[in-house]
Amino acid sequence: MKGGGGLVYSTEAGRMCPVCRQPVAQCACKKAAAAPQVDGTVRVRLETKGRKGKGVTVVWGVPVDEDGLQKLGKQLKAACGTGGTVKDGQIEVQGDHVTQVMEALRKQGYQVKRSGG
């Protein structure tokens, strides 16, 4: 079937993936996306530019898929006792928690470098 049409919701299975036409929980498209290519070093920096002077700890280069990144982000936010987000392949933790984040990542077996000043 050509065009953008297709089943979006099923009362039996719930939301459907528009690409593979499977239930979202069993979507083959999401599983096909592999971990991004990185050099094996996780980098951490404090970023204040464009954030009205507020500091945000940014983590990138983690060799995991999107679900793993969400889980790691949740663990890091809990370890620092603060909020944050995961977007564009980066974990952002509110505040200056570079040393805490680096220590938590080392405990999990990642090779970590501090980036920036």
Side-chain angles (χ1 to χ4, degrees), residues 60-79:
W60 77 99
V62 184
V64 295
D65 61 352
E66 190 64 30
D67 290 336
L69 205 60
Q70 292 287 340
K71 290 177 186 174
L72 182 60
K74 188 172 183 176
Q75 291 171 357
L76 293 176
K77 292 185 293 184

Side-chain angles (χ1 to χ4, degrees), residues 7-81:
L7 184 62
V8 177
Y9 187 85
S10 168
T11 55
E12 292 178 15
R15 293 192 47 79
M16 305 296 278
C17 175
V19 179
C20 66
R21 308 214 190 275
Q22 297 292 321
V24 173
Q26 300 167 354
C27 178
C29 304
K30 193 164 82 173
K31 294 176 186 171
Q37 295 292 339
V38 292
D39 64 355
T41 302
V42 178
R43 290 179 170 76
V44 182
R45 74 170 176 251
L46 179 66
E47 191 174 278
T48 57
K49 193 171 187 174
R51 301 178 187 273
K52 299 181 183 177
K54 305 287 185 184
V56 175
T57 303
V58 181
V59 180
W60 77 99
V62 184
V64 295
D65 61 352
E66 190 64 30
D67 290 336
L69 205 60
Q70 292 287 340
K71 290 177 186 174
L72 182 60
K74 188 172 183 176
Q75 291 171 357
L76 293 176
K77 292 185 293 184
C80 297

